[in-house]
Amino acid sequence: TTMCNSCVGGATTMELYEQLTAQGDKVRSLKTAKADKADVDAAIQLLLKLKVDYKEVTGQDYKAGCPPSGTAVSNDRQSENGGEEDTVDPWNVATNSAKGVDYDKLIVRFGSSKIDQELVDRIEKVSGQKPHRFLRRGIFFSHRDMNQVLDAYEKQKSFYLYTGRGPSSQAMHVGHLIPFVFTKWLQDVFDIPLVIQLTDDEKYLWKDLSLEDCHRFAEENAKDIIACGFDVNKTFIFSDLDYMGSSPEFYRNVVKVQKHVTFNQVKGIFGFSDSDCIGKISFPAIQAAPAFSSSFPQIFKGRKDVQCLIPCAIDQDPYFRMTRDVAPRIGYPKPALLHSTFFPALQGAQTKMSASDANSSIFLTDTPKQIKNKVNKHAFSGGKDTIEEHREQGGNPDIDVAFMYLTFFMEDDEQLEKIRQDYTSGILLTGELKKMLIETLQPMITAHQENRKNVTDEMVKQFMTPRPLNFNF
């Protein structure tokens, strides 16, 4: 039975807690009984929905065996967000909340799973490395099938990584680095191959750009990606405009996907309309193909069964929901996913940083002086209007962009926690917080620029040439 929304208002926190416990037991018994996957999935979806309802009513995460404590808190989320859903799709990200997108709700809406402490601990155990700060801090917060990937890895079955970038301009900003920084960490700790798709074809179809420009942006963006430190012996970077024409296996997988997805399905997933060009309608098949190991015979020696793991921002998930739906129908394993949150615009977490708005972004080409000016002038502050008020009432790190950025880039957990406490209590002023961010960003971006300077055209060619990688499958 599903629970109607109106019941939530009437249910006491204790009733909600009991419903959750019962639903958890139901999911476990269905799994034990090896019930039909659709039934298990439906039961899990309801469990996730109940967890969100529970959190809205109590302000606490549901924990089995820990009944709700204290009284229910009012749902500030509902009032500040006017009850409207956040907009999240591959082209738009927007919310009314200064705290940013409500990621717990998004997990329920997209039907993915939360990366909980148990999974972070397991990644640590299997990889033998301290988890990346993006995992420790919930920046990569959602997944599909990550446990399955780890199960296989423990049995000596390797997997490969796939991520990408839509090269819509030469300018890349710090937000674009998030998936690549994390992917590099995964490549290092699991010692596995990586393919990086540059969708220059997509950008030509969606934007008012020439084909030549899109292709050139792809090569320029490749330099920024290589500057993150990827291992040339384990990494293949490709432009769709180049690779698709030279790889029969890749194109065959594109065609297989095209045959198994209807226009109705892509309309439902991506919101295409009758006036969209036909290139857009078939493009999702091209983003799906790299998730199948047989698209890269030079790397996987023709094997079809190497599992793929895709680290990406959660707005890309619709492409891979489609891919996962098609995979079993064309005889391939479903790709697993790790989703990151969005990197907030300087003006506030209501939108993600965008390369088309120079003031919303810190670009990888910015000088130390530009970084300082942008942070001081544009970074939305959670501080109070006057020093007296701030000392007395403290700042709000949850809506403060400078603090949010530090959670992405400052490695030391204890230092970050101290900054949070000092800002909240009013000891630390907004200007001082911004100064810390500036001092974190400047050396990081200067180092990136140095690395990029050292990337020659010859190196780009090396990374982008189809070839075997150092890998025994």
Side-chain angles (χ1 to χ4, degrees), residues 1-58:
T1 57
T2 55
M3 202 177 80
C4 66
N5 287 342
S6 55
C7 314
V8 177
T12 66
T13 49
M14 202 57 214
E15 282 164 10
L16 261 179
Y17 172 78
E18 282 160 2
Q19 280 178 320
L20 253 167
T21 309
Q23 190 62 21
D25 294 342
K26 184 179 171 184
V27 168
R28 273 187 294 280
S29 63
L30 283 171
K31 283 183 173 173
T32 315
K34 302 235 184 313
D36 187 52
K37 187 174 177 325
D39 294 340
V40 178
D41 287 349
I44 290 173
Q45 273 299 65
L46 179 57
L47 181 68
L48 288 169
K49 184 182 176 323
L50 287 169
K51 283 184 176 177
V52 169
D53 292 339
Y54 182 83
K55 190 172 182 177
E56 287 199 345
V57 174
T58 63

Side-chain angles (χ1 to χ4, degrees), residues 451-467:
N451 292 340
R452 192 187 193 280
K453 259 208 269 287
N454 296 328
V455 177
T456 60
D457 290 342
E458 187 46 46
M459 282 166 73
V460 173
K461 202 174 150 207
Q462 233 183 322
F463 271 93
M464 295 185 77
T465 300
R467 64 204 187 282

Side-chain angles (χ1 to χ4, degrees), residues 122-141:
R122 187 166 180 216
I123 291 171
E124 177 169 23
K125 189 176 135 259
V126 175
S127 70
Q129 302 283 331
K130 179 180 177 176
H132 193 275
R133 62 179 182 273
F134 292 172
L135 282 170
R136 304 197 301 266
R137 295 179 194 157
I139 287 167
F140 272 80
F141 71 100

